[in-house]
Amino acid sequence: MNKRRLVAAVSVAALASTMAACGSASSNSGGDDGGDDAPIKIALIPPTSGALAQFGTDATQAWKTAVRLANEAGGVDGREVELIVKETDTDPATTLRAAREAVTQDGAQFIGAVMTSPENAALNAQLESLNAMSFNALGKDDALVGEQCSPYAVHVVQTSSMDINALAESISEMPGEKWAIQAVDYSTGHSAAETFKAAAEEAGKEIVLEQYAPLDTTDFGSYISKLKNSDADAVFAVEYGADGIAFVQQADQFNLDQQLDTVLGFNMVSEPLFETLGDTIVGYYNNVGYDVNADNELNKEFVEAYTEDHGSAPYYVPADNFLAAETLFAGIEEAGSTDPAEVSEALRGLTFDSIVGEVTVREDDMQVLRDSYLGKVAKGDGGLEFEIVANASADVTTPEADPACQL
Amino acid sequence: MNTAQLLNGVALGSLLMVLSSGLAMIYGLRGVANFAHGALYMSGAYIAYSVSDRVSFWAALVVVPLALAVLGVVLELVFFRPLQHRSHIELGLITFGLALMAERIVVLIWGERTLRVTPPEFLQGTASFLGVDYPAYRLAIIVIALLIAAALVLWLRYTDVGLHIRASSQDIETAAIMGIDVDRVSLIVVAVGAALAGLAGALAAPYIALDPGMGNAYLITILIVVVVGGIGSIGGAMVAGMGLGIIQTVATVWSPSFAVIVPYLALTVVLLWRPTGLAGKRVS
Amino acid sequence: MTTTALPQDDVSPTRTQRPGRYGRGRTTLIGLAAAVGVLLAGLVVPYVVTDTYRMSIVLDATLLSLMAIGIGFLARHLGLISLGHGAFFGVAAFAVGVATTNWGWSPSAAVGFGVVAGTVVALLMGVLVVRASGFGFLMLTLALAQALYAINVQPSMREWTGAHDGKLLSYDRDLTFLGLTQADVMNPGLFWPFAWISLVVCATILWLVGRSRFGTTLEGIRENEERMRFSGYDTFLPRLAAFVLSGAVASLGGALFAINSGYVSPDILGFGKAGDGLIAVLLGGFTLLVGPILGTFLFVYAQANLNFGGNLHLFTGMALIVVLVFMPGGITIGAQKLYHRIRRGRR
């Protein structure tokens, strides 16, 4: 009996190993180029659940406006533009699956509205084999233009370094001599704190306290108590999303503002949160990526069209995604084709006019070079709004291209 | 270690105390680990948001426990009672399924955004207490939670219903034989337990921002509190809840990244050292 | 009281009451032959499902099934419901990430390392948890897995595991995984034989172990641990061995998953994924070996197709409740009972 079992097992193993050599490669069906009149297909993969769902919706709406305007003007390079809207839950595995589906089943050649940096990183690695280009207007991680870069991925939004450098530039614009740093215990929190510290010390300020709270902290009591006990007269706060709201709310309850001249947020206080945060944040500073009141033609046209389509004025998320669309269209026009490889080639080093002024796609790492701003929350006629206090241009804020990026 | 930090710990502990006493009651009596408790807490917070938005925060403090008690009654009548002969683990898993559904339903009704509830006027800002300027609202939470805990203990100890509850928690079959209407007692316990969860949510709303993940965030912590406190021991759960709140806050002051692991460490240590929990019957 | 509902009345036709080793041996051979047949049949799948997208779903389900059969094995033979198997799956995946990206190992060696790492974690966790049972066991596995998650996302771990961002695998393009290049290993059709063979072999091993004397010992422990001890059996080591075995199977799934997808998200270690895995097992039912596999395939399919606006958990929660209330034992047992009822009805 045992011998037979052994023989059976051995033959199974033998057969299995021979069969292992015979797997078959799955092919891509669909996704062919089509004729000269084939529409340009762009897949959007925003999150539709979780805390970022609102941003996902706003990003999609911006693309829709961009596509509407483009089609009304006769299309891009003579062709009609079509959007394919997918969904994800920000797990990179889901996003990759959606991307593959969009490319192989629906024939998309361009991808947008992918939200988080990890998703973008995972996607960047697959773009070449998918033969598609991605226009990242949301994920800010520096590594995306560093070791995770790809000639098929254009980084439209400012990187975290650009943002923080812009803030560091403007430290002297804000009152406060003794700064405390309250940051999220996360890579962006730490790098923002580093950069800020260096700039503050250079500007002659003193750092009296530096503390980090784990991501998803709901109770900031201990941190705020420490802030109150320190000598600080200004706070640099790097807390996102729900953490940021909890922090602002609890700081208010502890009356922390009373002893402070300045509260500077980094990606903490932004337009979508104005309503939730309320009047507590009047007077808070924050980095601003997009100036809705910017005085250029393209921007005015965009703001009008977006407000008409969606009922409210755009803020940085829709603006960055609209810019992504502008970048894509500029690339297609320049290349005279919709083949991702050719568009990628055309985009490297391209300069064009956009809603944020004249911008250039840096050829070393596909980063779009653009301005960054410092804003102060003020009470306007329609509610809270940002008053732009300072403006830093790309050559000041953008670090040198990372040598780890091998295009 | 100053007073403000200690008060922070007591505030968090008070919340955990109220939340876990409800869970302990249900577990003690029905033997079911109510995985939906976090969802009940979250529902309480969101309902409090809607009520305090339209009426007032005080109204919310009244409406929420009532609404959640109704939910508790539904839970008992639809799930716990008809399925009481199933294994406890199966019932626990059913509540797990309910929790998943409830969390999604909350999002469908209120959306994904983080919401904020402002406390009533006179509780905003700080008050002077024991020499420190401390948020008045947190002081209120501490006071209210301690009152609720005291009321609960007195109720269980000195009333007939309380006696029946304690008897049924100890041995449900004998209690039934002795003539106690176990079904009625059970109904009361589940309703009160759910109401406590909702009340904790309403109290927490101005303290912690509301977001769809809040149920899950606390669920694991309170399950740990109940197990550490001892199954079936409501007093044990309360003490463990307060203790864990204080220990975790103190740990946060010292090392925030370590503080996150404190509950898990506590559970492992306690279960290995004393499988019955600090004050209760055998865990399984 | 036992913790699981087993089919009390309906007896599966393959479980004959005939005594004697000849009967058991024959069933074992039939089972092995069936396994070989299934193995060979399954290898044909990529030729049938030629579309990359669908194939990747099938592949994902297969890899997750490895974790599921581990969970199912423990539930079936020891009556223990574990929320910790995500930890083994995840640790193995991250170990593969570290080995390839940080240490420059070849993918094949890395996968082996991943399996070993996951199994070691299973051993360590097992030592702590197998003395408990029922709810205590569940809580301990949950707490320890959550602790691992919390440690994993610490910023200090960033270099090793990528903390909250997850680990992107990178290794020399020349290195191959058992003959597949880096680009090919991510192609679901080409990777399929590895996943499928692993699943069938592991399932067969678990089945054989379950039918062996060791398996009977485990069931004795499940029924009444005290009695087993009084009868002279050591209960700690068998439980530990079973736990480690199920953990090793889950680790294999995790290691293969990592090398195939090229990216490991920290969520893999979280409560959500552990809960999903458990739901899949419960939906399929763990009394039969194929139950967890069926449940996992259903779950992955639902996730890919029914996740409109994040409503997946609404549906899975509902499905879980319905199955637990009306079909205890899962869909496979429900189907089996239906089949028997039809057969009896016909006579």
Side-chain angles (χ1 to χ4, degrees):
Chain A
M1 214 44 46
N2 282 332
K3 217 180 179 186
R4 274 171 70 175
R5 233 190 253 190
L6 186 60
V7 168
V10 167
S11 35
V12 163
L15 270 170
S17 38
T18 38
M19 283 311 247
C22 301
S24 105
S26 297
S27 60
N28 290 346
S29 60
D32 57 328
D33 195 28
D36 273 340
D37 286 332
I40 300 171
K41 292 189 179 171
I42 306 170
L44 299 180
I45 317 182
T48 52
S49 59
L52 301 172
Q54 185 61 48
F55 293 150
T57 314
D58 294 338
T60 310
Q61 287 176 341
W63 277 91
K64 285 191 177 149
T65 301
V67 167
R68 168 174 83 79
L69 291 177
N71 284 336
E72 278 170 11
V76 175
D77 198 36
R79 305 180 200 222
E80 197 190 324
V81 188
E82 208 180 286
L83 279 180
I84 302 163
V85 183
K86 298 295 211 187
E87 303 184 325
T88 181
D89 57 2
T90 71
D91 182 344
T94 318
T95 308
L96 273 182
R97 203 180 289 148
R100 279 197 201 107
E101 196 186 332
V103 169
T104 62
Q105 318 260 45
D106 304 307
Q109 292 169 302
F110 304 102
I111 301 174
V114 175
M115 175 111 358
T116 64
S117 296
E119 286 171 271
N120 277 294
L123 183 61
N124 282 11
Q126 306 289 332
L127 287 172
E128 203 170 328
S129 62
L130 285 172
N131 193 30
M133 278 197 81
S134 160
F135 288 82
N136 177 7
L138 294 155
K140 292 182 166 234
D141 199 27
D142 287 4
L144 290 171
V145 290
E147 61 180 6
Q148 292 161 355
C149 75
S150 157
Y152 284 69
V154 180
H155 198 256
V156 176
V157 69
Q158 295 94 334
T159 57
S160 304
S161 291
M162 288 165 77
D163 284 340
I164 187 65
N165 287 338
L167 279 187
E169 265 300 293
S170 346
I171 285 185
S172 24
E173 309 274 344
M174 296 172 280
E177 295 298 315
K178 300 195 175 154
W179 285 81
I181 301 180
Q182 167 73 43
V184 61
D185 198 8
Y186 186 51
S187 57
T188 350
H190 283 273
S191 48
E194 286 300 306
T195 316
F196 184 80
K197 256 200 318 192
E201 273 154 14
E202 213 183 291
K205 313 286 184 185
E206 193 190 333
I207 306 286
V208 294
L209 174 63
E210 198 181 329
Q211 52 185 10
Y212 298 90
L215 193 62
D216 296 328
T217 300
T218 49
D219 184 358
F220 285 90
S222 349
Y223 304 99
I224 297 176
S225 298
K226 274 204 202 153
L227 284 171
K228 286 188 79 158
N229 286 340
S230 74
D231 258 342
D233 58 5
V235 166
F236 175 53
V238 188
E239 297 283 352
Y240 310 138
D243 294 17
I245 296 179
F247 177 71
V248 167
Q249 171 172 298
Q250 289 165 21
D252 184 36
Q253 286 173 354
F254 273 84
N255 263 342
L256 182 63
D257 296 357
Q258 263 179 10
Q259 67 187 77
L260 299 178
D261 293 333
T262 302
V263 177
L264 172 63
F266 181 59
N267 292 333
M268 184 171 81
V269 173
S270 53
E271 288 97 328
L273 298 175
F274 279 176
E275 205 187 306
T276 314
L277 292 172
D279 289 346
T280 322
I281 56 168
V282 172
Y284 277 32
Y285 292 85
N286 201 66
N287 60 307
V288 177
Y290 164 70
D291 181 11
V292 65
N293 297 318
D295 191 14
N296 78 58
E297 277 309 309
L298 290 172
N299 188 44
K300 291 206 172 115
E301 188 189 34
F302 162 59
V303 175
E304 206 184 302
Y306 184 88
T307 316
E308 193 188 306
D309 282 345
H310 307 296
S312 56
Y315 61 103
Y316 66 97
V317 168
D320 288 337
N321 279 279
F322 190 86
L323 178 60
E326 283 183 310
T327 313
L328 168 62
F329 298 159
I332 294 178
E333 299 267 353
E334 178 78 8
S337 126
T338 60
D339 176 37
E342 292 179 29
V343 175
S344 156
E345 199 48 49
L347 277 170
R348 293 178 67 168
L350 183 67
T351 303
F352 59 96
D353 252 334
S354 75
I355 57 173
V356 295
E358 194 184 81
V359 296
T360 309
V361 179
R362 187 156 70 175
E363 67 171 341
D364 304 308
D365 57 0
M366 306 302 277
Q367 171 65 49
V368 170
L369 299 171
R370 49 189 286 206
D371 290 357
S372 309
Y373 314 92
L374 174 70
K376 187 174 178 186
V377 181
K379 234 183 151 127
D381 339 288
L384 295 175
E385 57 181 27
F386 269 125
E387 194 189 295
I388 302 292
V389 166
N391 176 338
S393 70
D395 32 302
V396 173
T397 63
T398 318
E400 291 288 314
D402 189 341
C405 176
Q406 304 283 331
L407 285 187
Chain B
M1 235 329 291
N2 61 22
T3 326
Q5 298 290 20
L6 189 60
L7 284 173
N8 283 330
V10 175
L12 177 63
S14 305
L15 208 57
L16 289 179
M17 190 170 73
V18 173
L19 201 46
S20 54
S21 55
L23 184 61
M25 283 178 77
I26 297 178
Y27 198 145
L29 196 107
R30 273 281 179 221
V32 179
N34 183 19
F35 278 90
H37 217 69
L40 292 171
Y41 160 76
M42 178 169 75
S43 314
Y46 273 86
I47 295 176
Y49 168 81
S50 289
V51 172
S52 72
D53 211 30
R54 294 201 178 96
V55 187
S56 85
F57 184 67
W58 300 111
L61 283 185
V62 171
V63 168
V64 165
L66 290 175
L68 267 292
V70 169
L71 275 182
V73 167
V74 169
L75 200 61
E76 160 75 9
L77 291 177
V78 174
F79 292 99
F80 295 161
R81 193 173 295 181
L83 299 169
Q84 60 185 291
H85 302 295
R86 295 288 191 84
S87 83
H88 294 331
I89 294 256
E90 276 185 328
L91 280 174
L93 292 168
I94 291 178
T95 59
F96 182 60
L98 285 170
L100 287 179
M101 288 179 63
E103 274 156 30
R104 187 62 199 164
I105 292 175
V106 163
V107 168
L108 286 173
I109 300 178
W110 279 280
E112 300 266 14
R113 283 169 30 233
T114 309
L115 297 173
R116 191 184 163 185
V117 175
T118 38
E121 274 297 325
F122 76 95
L123 286 179
Q124 286 174 15
T126 60
S128 192
F129 183 73
L130 290 186
V132 267
D133 264 340
Y134 198 70
Y137 186 71
R138 292 193 183 202
L139 291 172
I141 290 186
I142 296 175
V143 169
I144 295 178
L146 289 174
L147 284 175
I148 293 176
L152 196 60
V153 169
L154 290 174
W155 180 59
L156 286 173
R157 188 151 278 237
Y158 293 115
T159 64
D160 279 345
V161 179
L163 179 64
H164 293 178
I165 292 176
R166 279 186 287 134
S168 313
S169 302
Q170 199 156 40
D171 189 332
I172 202 166
E173 283 168 10
T174 312
I177 292 172
M178 299 289 276
I180 295 177
D181 184 352
V182 171
D183 278 344
R184 193 183 79 114
V185 168
S186 200
L187 189 65
I188 295 175
V189 162
V190 175
V192 169
L196 284 172
L199 187 59
L203 286 176
Y207 170 20
I208 307 173
L210 295 182
D211 89 62
M214 66 191 295
N216 263 342
Y218 277 103
L219 176 65
I220 298 180
T221 313
I222 55 173
L223 282 172
I224 290 179
V225 165
V226 166
V227 171
V228 165
I231 305 303
S233 165
I234 298 166
M238 290 204 246
V239 167
M242 182 60 82
L244 194 65
I246 296 179
I247 294 175
Q248 185 149 23
T249 310
V250 169
T252 310
V253 175
W254 173 56
S255 164
S257 24
F258 175 71
V260 179
I261 313 182
V262 161
Y264 312 126
L265 220 57
L267 178 77
T268 315
V269 166
V270 169
L271 272 189
L272 290 179
W273 168 53
R274 241 184 137 138
T276 57
L278 291 174
K281 317 189 287 246
R282 190 148 180 80
V283 166
S284 48
Chain C
M1 286 282 117
T2 53
T3 54
T4 59
L6 295 176
Q8 299 292 330
D9 41 335
D10 294 321
V11 175
S12 147
T14 55
R15 260 177 229 278
T16 60
Q17 300 281 13
R18 257 193 298 167
R21 281 174 53 106
Y22 183 75
R24 277 185 74 92
R26 220 184 75 167
T27 317
T28 310
L29 273 181
I30 294 176
L32 280 178
V36 172
V38 163
L39 183 86
L40 295 178
L43 288 172
V44 163
V45 168
Y47 297 92
V48 173
V49 182
T50 49
D51 173 58
T52 316
Y53 172 62
R54 295 221 176 81
M55 193 62 215
S56 70
I57 295 184
V58 172
L59 183 68
D60 284 345
T62 310
L63 292 173
L64 283 172
S65 296
L66 279 165
M67 180 169 82
I69 56 177
I71 299 176
F73 178 73
L74 272 185
R76 164 80 175 92
H77 293 285
L78 275 176
L80 295 174
I81 309 278
S82 161
L83 275 174
H85 276 62
F88 314 135
F89 192 87
V91 164
F94 277 106
V96 170
V98 166
T100 50
T101 316
N102 294 54
W103 297 338
W105 289 16
S106 84
S108 326
V111 167
F113 175 67
V115 177
V116 168
T119 311
V120 166
V121 169
L123 181 64
L124 294 173
M125 195 189 281
V127 167
L128 291 174
V129 307
V130 292
R131 288 198 199 277
S133 58
F135 185 56
F137 177 82
L138 183 75
M139 281 307 298
L140 272 174
T141 53
L142 174 58
L144 288 172
Q146 278 292 106
L148 270 177
Y149 171 79
I151 295 174
N152 184 54
V153 294
Q154 291 294 310
S156 45
M157 296 292 283
R158 197 174 169 73
E159 197 199 320
W160 301 100
T161 65
H164 275 285
D165 288 336
K167 186 88 174 164
L168 201 58
L169 266 64
S170 72
Y171 48 93
D172 206 328
R173 277 173 208 255
D174 298 329
L175 297 172
T176 64
F177 174 67
L178 295 182
L180 284 185
T181 64
Q182 187 178 46
D184 287 342
V185 91
M186 295 195 192
N187 183 314
L190 290 173
F191 193 72
W192 168 252
F194 299 104
W196 179 243
I197 292 175
S198 303
L199 181 62
V200 175
V201 167
C202 286
T204 313
I205 291 177
L206 288 181
W207 181 67
L208 287 173
V209 169
R211 290 174 58 82
S212 70
R213 271 186 61 182
F214 179 69
T216 323
T217 314
L218 292 179
E219 285 171 31
I221 297 176
R222 180 192 69 206
E223 290 304 315
N224 194 324
E225 197 234 334
E226 228 173 329
R227 193 175 1 168
M228 287 300 281
R229 268 190 290 126
F230 286 174
S231 310
Y233 286 90
D234 173 21
T235 56
F236 177 70
L237 282 179
R239 274 169 152 182
L240 184 63
F243 191 81
V244 172
L245 178 62
S246 76
V249 171
S251 305
L252 180 60
L256 290 174
F257 166 80
I259 207 75
N260 165 250
S261 95
Y263 171 78
V264 186
S265 155
D267 290 338
I268 236 182
L269 288 168
F271 176 49
K273 280 277 158 48
D276 287 348
L278 183 60
I279 293 178
V281 171
L282 292 170
L283 285 180
F286 47 78
T287 315
L288 292 180
L289 190 67
V290 296
I293 301 178
L294 177 67
T296 307
F297 271 79
L298 279 176
F299 189 88
V300 171
Y301 180 78
Q303 190 178 45
N305 291 314
L306 295 177
N307 201 4
F308 301 111
N311 283 333
L312 176 72
H313 279 154
L314 187 64
F315 299 131
T316 50
M318 252 191 296
L320 181 66
I321 295 173
V322 165
V323 166
L324 280 174
V325 172
F326 298 113
M327 281 191 271
I331 294 178
T332 46
I333 295 300
Q336 195 181 52
K337 280 192 183 159
L338 194 63
Y339 168 71
H340 284 301
R341 202 170 294 158
I342 293 177
R343 268 188 67 184
R344 262 189 276 140
R346 284 226 200 108
R347 282 198 220 131

